[in-house]
Amino acid sequence: MEENNNNVVPQYYYTEKEMDKILAYIEKQYGESEVVGHEVLSPDIHCDIVIVPPTEEQPYYKLVTMGAGAFKMNVPKGLSGVCDRAEYVVYLPKDWNIESKKEEDWWPIRMLKTVARLPIETDDWLYISHTINLTEDGSPVAENTKFNSCMLLFSVGKDGQLVEPFKMGWFGKKVAFYQLYPLYQEELEYKLEHSFDELIERIDDEDLSNHVINIHRKNYCK
């Protein structure tokens, strides 16, 4: 971590050795990456995006943050099994234009970066079942979809198994990997009024097990 006394926001970075380790783990769990989207301006964490391209076995993109886990989240004491560091994942269709900067193509990356920085901005923590508003006024994230929020799920790797937290070093530092699952406003409201489990029960297994973002999927609480 780097900081100074000039009212500048502290910066939380992986060391070069940690970066190498986390990238190797991402590729082991999700597949070999061809591109890493390096962040140009990093006000707090250096949040790169690792891009794992589609394969015949898994014909979709996997986008994984690399840098969010450098920040230690403020997890309440007594919550055993909850990692205080995390990286975030989204899965996109193979025909998604990931090089485009148009908002209808860029919003999943914006979502990753927004969620990655939320624990820093709020001095809070994130875990499975947590939901996040992605727009201040509740409007959709882009013109091509009605999603305006997301919730955290466990992430699935290339072998179809849940990705276990990565043990970074010798001092118990672990980094979890969470999938970001986009929600509609009505689904967000239902989860907040009822519970995460009740929302999950309303969503078809096919939509839950198919991790790839479908911008036209059914709204289960409309």
Side-chain angles (χ1 to χ4, degrees):
M1 179 181 114
E2 299 178 4
E3 58 183 317
N4 57 46
N5 297 319
N6 297 323
N7 296 321
V8 176
V9 176
Q11 296 178 322
Y12 306 88
Y13 295 161
Y14 286 135
T15 65
E16 185 174 344
K17 187 175 182 179
E18 288 174 334
M19 286 279 284
D20 291 340
K21 286 184 176 181
I22 200 77
L23 178 58
Y25 188 74
I26 288 172
E27 292 192 327
K28 177 182 178 182
Q29 295 296 327
Y30 297 100
E32 186 174 350
S33 64
E34 291 184 354
V35 178
V36 176
H38 291 288
E39 191 170 61
V40 178
L41 298 176
S42 302
D44 36 39
I45 54 173
H46 185 79
C47 187
D48 292 334
I49 304 295
V50 178
I51 301 174
V52 179
T55 63
E56 289 187 9
E57 296 77 16
Q58 295 180 316
Y60 49 86
Y61 285 100
K62 303 165 195 170
L63 276 59
V64 188
T65 64
M66 186 171 66
F71 176 74
K72 184 177 180 180
M73 295 185 288
N74 187 19
V75 177
K77 293 181 179 180
L79 291 181
S80 60
V82 177
C83 288
D84 54 14
R85 300 173 186 272
E87 300 290 352
Y88 306 94
V89 187
V90 295
Y91 308 84
L92 296 175
K94 63 180 179 180
D95 58 353
W96 196 279
N97 187 354
I98 60 172
E99 296 183 0
S100 170
K101 293 299 185 289
K102 294 181 179 180
E103 197 59 34
E104 59 264 32
D105 301 313
W106 175 256
W107 70 263
I109 296 178
R110 184 184 301 282
M111 177 172 65
L112 284 169
K113 291 179 177 288
T114 296
V115 173
R117 288 191 159 89
L118 187 62
I120 303 174
E121 296 169 353
T122 60
D123 191 26
D124 211 338
W125 61 294
L126 292 173
Y127 187 61
I128 304 307
S129 81
H130 287 186
T131 50
I132 299 153
N133 290 298
L134 298 174
T135 60
E136 293 184 1
D137 59 358
S139 60
V141 292
E143 292 184 356
N144 63 338
T145 184
K146 298 296 184 181
F147 295 138
N148 72 347
S149 51
C150 68
M151 66 180 174
L152 273 64
L153 304 175
F154 286 114
S155 175
V156 175
K158 64 182 180 182
D159 58 359
Q161 302 299 312
L162 298 182
V163 175
E164 295 292 332
F166 174 56
K167 297 180 181 179
M168 180 69 78
W170 298 275
F171 304 104
K173 185 187 293 186
K174 292 183 180 180
V175 182
F177 289 81
Y178 300 136
Q179 176 193 352
L180 303 185
Y181 188 86
L183 296 176
Y184 296 104
Q185 176 66 24
E186 293 84 358
E187 294 171 336
L188 173 66
E189 292 174 354
Y190 185 88
K191 186 266 183 183
L192 295 176
E193 183 177 348
H194 296 83
S195 69
F196 171 76
D197 290 338
E198 289 180 80
L199 174 59
I200 291 296
E201 289 179 2
R202 294 178 71 96
I203 302 175
D204 288 347
D205 289 342
E206 183 177 351
D207 270 336
L208 277 177
S209 60
N210 180 16
H211 312 291
V212 182
I213 289 177
N214 176 6
I215 60 175
H216 302 300
R217 76 161 174 81
K218 176 181 176 181
N219 183 337
Y220 288 94
C221 297
K222 189 171 183 179

